[in-house]
């Protein structure tokens, strides 16, 4: 299956993507993790996107579409993938639809993790505390504010794009991790059969 995990920063997409990977084997394709790895490795791509990530702005569509296309063609994505943090704009979603259609595949479900802003801020503050001072460069309350603004302006409109395709299933992302996992598993099992 091909699943899009959708929601604002801190909604739990990464956590749930990893659980889905463990349970079903579909790899987690996180553009954020790929970009952070490029920054860490100091590649040309990393140098290009470092400042953008630190500010919480969006990397250009052609860059992320390129890295997703390359990653999706790896053999471990043959039975599907979990898209985490991609797509984030309408052109990205259209490019993803085209890429999958070219391979005779499609998005099976878009799982929206719904969490309110106050809880997101609390979670990022907790993530900073838990990291013991080595938090992600963009995990601070100020950058989170920008990441949320970018989310509502550029990414949230994608929900309508996918609603029109009848693909959105909304899950209460403020429930416990186990409860969210169970809700997702129920949807995935129903779609699989
Ligand atoms: P994430 O780990 O998903 O929160 O992503 C971290 C950062 O990487 C974002 O704030 C953006 O700067 C960048 N990024 C990740 N995915 C995308 C995407 N699909 N489109 C544009 N920028 C992205």
């Amino acid at each position: 299956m091909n699943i899009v995990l959708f929601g604002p920063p801190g909604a739990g997409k990464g956590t749930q993507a990893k659980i889905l990977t463990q349970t079903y084997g579909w790899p987690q394709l996180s553009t954020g993790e790929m970009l952070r790895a490029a920054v860490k490795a100091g590649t040309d791509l990393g140098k290009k996107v470092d400042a953008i990530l630190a500010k919480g702005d969006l990397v250009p569509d052609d860059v992320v579409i390129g890295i997703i296309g390359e990653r999706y063609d790896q053999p471990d994505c043959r039975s599907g993938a979990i898209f985490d943090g991609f797509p984030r704009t309408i052109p990205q979603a259209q490019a993803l639809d085209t890429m999958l259609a070219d391979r005779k595949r499609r998005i099976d479900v878009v799982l929206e993790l719904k969490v309110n802003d106050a809880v997101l801020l609390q979670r990022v503050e907790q993530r900073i505390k838990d990291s013991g001072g080595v938090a992600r460069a963009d995990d601070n309350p100020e950058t989170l504010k920008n990441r949320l603004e970018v989310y509502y302006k550029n990414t949230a409109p994608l929900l309508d794009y996918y609603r029109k395709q009848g693909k959105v299933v909304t899950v209460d992302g403020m429930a416990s991790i186990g409860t969210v996992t169970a809700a997702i598993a129920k949807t995935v099992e129903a779609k699989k059969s």
Side-chain angles (χ1 to χ4, degrees):
M1 270 178 76
N2 291 290
I3 298 174
V4 171
L5 281 176
F6 195 90
K13 301 187 295 293
T15 302
Q16 295 300 331
K18 288 185 170 66
I19 295 170
L20 277 168
T21 298
Q22 275 167 15
T23 311
Y24 298 102
W26 307 306
Q28 172 194 14
L29 270 49
S30 159
T31 39
E33 284 186 7
M34 293 176 208
L35 294 166
R36 279 190 292 280
V39 170
K40 205 169 163 201
T43 62
D44 286 346
L45 170 66
K47 285 179 195 140
K48 188 170 163 187
V49 302
D50 192 5
I52 302 176
L53 261 71
K55 275 207 306 205
D57 288 336
L58 291 183
V59 166
D61 287 336
D62 58 331
V63 172
V64 283
I65 290 167
I67 59 177
I68 277 286
E70 213 172 284
R71 179 65 187 86
Y72 192 77
D73 281 334
Q74 302 295 312
D76 62 334
C77 296
R78 255 196 299 255
S79 63
I82 319 287
F83 294 93
D84 161 13
F86 181 93
R88 262 173 154 100
T89 65
I90 300 276
Q92 290 180 24
Q94 289 168 334
L96 179 60
D97 279 347
T98 306
M99 177 189 92
L100 292 172
D102 285 349
R103 290 157 180 75
K104 306 268 180 291
R105 298 189 194 175
R106 63 186 164 87
I107 295 294
D108 294 288
V109 64
V110 175
L111 291 163
E112 179 201 8
L113 301 182
K114 219 179 164 115
V115 179
N116 70 36
D117 290 1
V119 172
L120 296 173
L121 188 60
Q122 276 169 18
R123 286 187 182 175
V124 168
E125 282 169 351
Q126 192 61 45
R127 198 145 82 175
I128 295 166
K129 270 190 213 149
D130 293 347
S131 75
V134 287
R136 274 166 50 172
D138 59 351
D139 263 352
N140 59 71
E142 211 165 287
T143 308
L144 178 68
K145 204 172 147 257
N146 187 42
R147 287 162 67 203
L148 277 176
E149 276 170 19
V150 169
Y151 172 78
Y152 288 115
K153 182 164 171 265
N154 299 289
T155 307
L158 271 182
L159 272 180
D160 259 351
Y161 175 91
Y162 284 123
R163 274 197 193 109
K164 283 188 190 126
Q165 298 185 358
K167 290 193 175 159
V168 179
V169 173
T170 301
V171 172
D172 175 11
M174 290 182 286
S176 68
I177 292 177
T179 305
V180 175
T181 301
I184 289 176
K186 210 171 141 194
T187 301
V188 170
E189 291 300 332
K191 298 269 170 196
K192 269 177 74 187
S193 55

